[in-house]
């Protein structure tokens, strides 16, 4: 059993905890919180030992009936791997503690590549993560980009990618973030950070990205244009996506043309938290002519990186050397089959 601690039990951390608990070869030794809020009660309900970043706040937790197992350092002493899912830039401040304790650590996309010196995507570089002490799982957008770019690159060779990201303004629970009524260029300058971030995983790819933020919470939407080195076939692209364990086709027959309908579909299918772990690529948007491939893909920002964290844990622990096998184990434990199999 790989003993896993989750430092930062928020949007990503609570999902990673449940995904770890679902695996047969892993165990949640604890989760950490800063405040006694609703998520802390969910941790209690799930039976995850609750640790706190600032031990002086123990009385505030215990006053509302939340048993505190100890400090974050206590939690870390009991683990083989910590998944740091604290807010962006906070994770970096935890590195000295992980180094002191000599434990393996995974950071999220809100941290810079340099924090771990290695950026991970199961599809692209699982083997290079085997046995590593430090790994960074790239952001939700970068994860979605890496999966499809790597797949097309292996089949046709990628000459250049141009991707436009229409990003959700906030996660559903974040009531203080916006925008409420604006399309915000984020950033105004080109390229956005997503292109360079893809290079942290796939350094040989030529890519330009642009990004904006809109008033929605559900998902990101990517408009992607790939120039391939060899002529591209629409049918073959659909086949490649369909065969991929972490990409899904939103079939024309479903009549879905928005993130809202997609999330509704995920809810109706009974996915936990309506999570969509896969790239959701709209069948009808796939356009292939000569060396040009275009399509729209929706990315559920809260979910796609969760399964990647599980594979990263397994690779770092060195217990499974084969990427495809780890992906299959992770998916099966979550009962996850990509979306095209449900319509
Ligand atoms: P979040 O704010 O939802 O959760 C962070 C949690 O960490 C909160 O529960 C907070 O109380 C806790 N925390 C804060 N400081 C702490 C500390 N010092 N010690 C322990 N816990 C602490 O954040 P999130 O959205 O889950 O993001 C976490 C990381 O994942 C970031 O790097 C982010 O960029 C990345 N990420 C987020 C998303 C997303 O859409 N939410 C997607 C992909 C990657």
């Amino acid at each position: 059993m790989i003993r896993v601690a989750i430092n930062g039990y928020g949007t990503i951390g609570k999902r990673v905890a449940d995904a770890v608990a679902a695996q047969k070869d892993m165990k949640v030794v604890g989760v950490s919180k800063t405040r006694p809020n609703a998520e802390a009660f969910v941790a209690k309900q799930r039976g995850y030992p609750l640790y706190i970043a600032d031990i002086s706040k123990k009385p505030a937790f215990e006053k509302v009936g939340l048993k505190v197992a100890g400090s974050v350092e206590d939690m870390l002493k009991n683990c083989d791997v910590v998944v740091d899912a604290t807010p962006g830039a906070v994770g970096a401040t935890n590195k000295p503690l992980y180094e002191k304790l000599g434990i393996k650590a995974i950071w999220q996309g809100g941290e810079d590549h340099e924090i771990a010196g290695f950026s991970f995507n199961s599809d692209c570089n699982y083997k290079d993560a085997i046995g590593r002490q430090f790994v960074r799982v790239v952001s939700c957008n970068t994860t979605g980009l890496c999966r499809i770019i790597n797949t097309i690159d292996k089949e046709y060779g990628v000459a250049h990618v141009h991707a436009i990201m229409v990003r959700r303004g906030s996660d559903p629970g974040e009531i203080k973030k916006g925008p409420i009524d604006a399309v915000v260029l984020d950033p105004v300058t080109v390229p956005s950070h997503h292109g360079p971030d893809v290079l942290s995983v796939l350094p040989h790819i030529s890519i330009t990205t642009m990004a904006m933020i809109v008033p929605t919470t559900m998902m990101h939407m990517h408009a992607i244009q790939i120039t391939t080195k060899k002529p591209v076939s629409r049918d073959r692209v659909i086949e490649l996506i369909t065969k991929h364990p972490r990409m899904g086709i939103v079939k024309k027959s479903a009549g879905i043309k928005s993130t809202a309908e997609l999330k509704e579909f995920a809810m109706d299918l009974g996915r936990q938290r309506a999570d969509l772990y896969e790239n959701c690529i709209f069948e009808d948007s796939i356009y292939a002519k000569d060396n040009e491939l275009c399509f729209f893909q929706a990315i559920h920002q809260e979910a796609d990186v969760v399964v990647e964290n599980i594979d990263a844990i397994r690779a770092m622990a060195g217990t499974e050397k084969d990427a495809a096998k780890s992906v299959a184990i992770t998916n099966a434990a979550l009962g996850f089959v990509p979306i095209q199999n449900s319509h």
Side-chain angles (χ1 to χ4, degrees), residues 7-12 32-34 53 85-88 108 110 168 171 301:
N7 196 13
Y9 190 74
T11 304
I12 299 299
S32 77
K33 286 289 315 163
T34 46
T86 58
Q108 308 305 311
R168 60 91 181 93
D171 291 336
Q301 75 280 357

Side-chain angles (χ1 to χ4, degrees), residues 81-272:
V81 184
V82 57
V83 176
D84 189 306
T86 58
V90 175
T93 65
N94 294 323
K95 189 173 179 181
L97 184 56
Y98 305 154
E99 283 176 320
K100 185 182 97 176
L101 298 173
I103 54 173
K104 293 179 188 282
I106 298 174
W107 286 275
Q108 308 305 311
E111 307 300 327
D112 293 336
H113 168 79
E114 287 66 33
I115 185 87
F118 179 77
S119 292
F120 177 84
N121 175 265
S122 315
D123 215 16
C124 306
N125 59 11
Y126 182 97
K127 275 202 158 41
D128 300 328
I130 292 172
R132 273 190 187 266
Q133 185 183 2
F134 296 143
V135 162
R136 165 184 176 258
V137 170
V138 290
S139 75
C140 45
N141 283 305
T142 306
T143 294
L145 287 170
C146 284
R147 286 176 184 164
I148 186 67
I149 293 169
N150 190 43
T151 300
I152 300 302
D153 190 42
K154 281 195 289 187
E155 184 77 6
Y156 297 108
V158 165
H160 187 68
V161 181
H162 190 243
I164 299 174
M165 260 70 63
V166 180
R167 299 164 58 206
R168 60 91 181 93
S170 72
D171 291 336
E174 292 176 317
I175 58 172
K176 290 186 182 163
K177 276 196 183 172
I180 288 177
D181 188 8
V183 176
V184 182
L185 304 178
D186 185 48
V188 177
T189 51
V190 179
S192 67
H193 74 274
H194 306 93
D197 205 30
V198 166
L199 302 189
S200 71
V201 178
L202 297 168
H204 62 288
I205 294 292
S206 169
I207 179 168
T208 312
T209 52
M210 300 166 79
M212 61 192 96
I213 299 180
V214 296
T216 176
T217 63
M218 307 237 180
M219 301 179 86
H220 303 303
M221 186 69 82
H222 295 177
I224 301 182
Q225 181 190 18
I226 301 179
T227 307
T228 51
K229 290 183 180 162
K230 287 187 250 166
V232 61
S233 143
R234 183 176 186 270
D235 288 346
R236 178 67 182 144
V237 168
I238 291 174
E239 192 183 352
L240 289 169
I241 296 167
T242 304
K243 280 187 183 159
H244 193 286
R246 301 259 168 93
M247 292 201 282
I249 292 280
V250 183
K251 290 186 197 162
K252 182 181 180 172
S253 53
I256 292 173
K257 47 186 172 185
S258 68
T259 52
E261 292 160 292
L262 203 43
K263 282 306 295 280
E264 187 74 8
F265 189 39
M267 279 187 255
D268 290 345
L269 290 174
R271 293 262 186 119
Q272 189 178 18

